[in-house]
Amino acid sequence: MTPHVSVLIPAHNEADYIGSCLQAVFASDPLPAGMTAEVLVLANGCTDATAELARAAVPPEGWELQVLELPEGGKLGALNAGDAAARGDLLIYLDADVQVSPELIAQIAAALDGRAPCYASGCPQVPPARSLVTRAYARFWMRLPFFSGGVPGFGVFAMNRTGRQRWGVWPDIIADDIFARLHFTPQERVQVTASYSWPMVEGFRNLVKVRRRQNAGVAEVAESWPQLMQNEDTPRVGPGRALRLLLRDPAGFLAYAAVALAVKTPLFASRSRWTRGR
């Protein structure tokens, strides 16, 4: 049976990003021999031109494009609708503001092409930010173990159908990427060499809001699915390493520490569980 790749892109009011996201996907290198592919744009609760811009994209030979318009907003509902519609043996989940390198999808497809449960992602790159605080924060953050080691999977993560069968519908959670990653042991996770561009939010306020959501997402998974935490392989930053990071980049350390401290206060608090930060 010919393997089929499904790229699922949940998108809520992503008119500024969906065109370049699809352009990058459709500029991908040829898939491994015999594979075909489809892209499903999961436009959920959009009040802008996301769906229209997605339909205007022209897929190359060997690719299909389907735009699902869902009246209700919500990433997890969109993922469930996408999973139900996807025909692929290999599932790649892609944020709409991410741009993949030409090699990424083909490398992920090759890594997942097998019967054993497997999870894969690429090497994230954070493009230079406009704001000084985000540039400093990102510079420090990219030296932390979560980013520099393991297979983080934020922005892009993928699995074969055998791996996806480890849980049913996507639950209503904050951190879908962490939930998915922790369903696989470190030995089942593969990081391919190809890269992707993942933009960080701009400015101190947005960094605090998104960091607070990320922390809440990790805590939610740990509380509701404690058994998954045995698959967490990110080492903690000890005092020695923290000191070395401080000496190497004092400005980055201060930006990161300021955001981490602000998260513990009511500053910029939001009632929404989903904070985009832009």
Side-chain angles (χ1 to χ4, degrees):
M1 184 175 177
T2 302
H4 192 68
V5 178
S6 293
V7 180
L8 297 95
I9 307 177
H12 172 71
N13 288 345
E14 298 285 6
D16 291 340
Y17 298 92
I18 192 64
S20 55
C21 176
L22 289 172
Q23 184 178 19
V25 170
F26 291 148
S28 296
D29 288 348
L31 294 172
M35 286 192 183
T36 56
E38 64 178 352
V39 172
L40 294 93
V41 176
L42 314 173
N44 59 96
C46 293
T47 57
D48 65 1
T50 296
E52 291 85 349
L53 291 170
R55 288 195 188 92
V58 180
E61 184 177 356
W63 288 81
E64 299 176 14
L65 172 63
Q66 182 179 1
V67 179
L68 301 182
E69 286 196 73
L70 309 170
E72 297 293 329
K75 185 176 183 180
L76 282 305
L79 291 180
N80 284 321
D83 281 350
R87 297 182 288 113
D89 313 281
L90 315 177
L91 305 170
I92 301 175
Y93 300 90
L94 174 65
D95 286 354
D97 58 355
V98 165
Q99 292 191 39
V100 299
S101 65
E103 306 86 5
L104 182 65
I105 290 179
Q107 287 189 13
I108 287 178
L112 295 178
D113 189 17
R115 293 187 178 182
C118 187
Y119 171 102
S121 187
C123 296
Q125 294 182 347
V126 179
R130 297 187 302 273
S131 67
L132 289 174
V133 66
T134 297
R135 286 203 299 271
Y137 181 95
R139 190 172 62 242
F140 186 85
W141 182 70
M142 287 188 289
R143 295 189 176 113
L144 295 176
F146 175 76
F147 187 96
S148 59
V151 189
F154 54 84
V156 181
F157 61 88
M159 65 200 73
N160 52 19
R161 281 284 182 183
T162 309
R164 178 61 185 85
Q165 290 171 357
R166 289 187 167 173
W167 72 94
V169 299
W170 290 91
D172 184 18
I173 54 176
I174 300 170
D176 56 286
D177 52 349
I178 294 172
F179 177 80
R181 180 172 63 89
L182 293 181
H183 272 85
F184 298 82
T185 67
Q187 295 74 30
E188 294 173 324
R189 302 197 289 258
V190 177
Q191 186 174 49
V192 301
T193 59
S195 65
Y196 61 94
S197 176
W198 181 85
M200 187 169 282
V201 296
E202 297 282 355
F204 184 76
R205 178 189 182 95
N206 289 333
L207 286 169
V208 171
K209 291 166 63 179
V210 171
R211 176 68 181 275
R212 183 178 284 124
R213 175 180 62 81
Q214 291 169 344
N215 289 354
V218 173
E220 182 181 44
V221 172
E223 180 179 357
S224 300
W225 297 273
Q227 73 280 6
L228 295 181
M229 300 311 295
Q230 64 185 348
N231 290 330
E232 182 57 86
D233 61 342
T234 302
R236 294 184 178 276
V237 179
R241 183 166 186 174
L243 178 60
R244 290 192 296 272
L245 290 170
L246 167 61
L247 294 175
R248 184 175 181 180
D249 185 2
F253 181 91
L254 289 175
Y256 186 86
V259 170
L261 288 174
V263 165
K264 301 180 184 298
T265 74
L267 190 66
F268 310 136
S270 172
R271 295 182 179 181
S272 174
R273 295 177 77 242
W274 177 256
T275 304
R276 292 162 59 88
R278 63 170 194 266

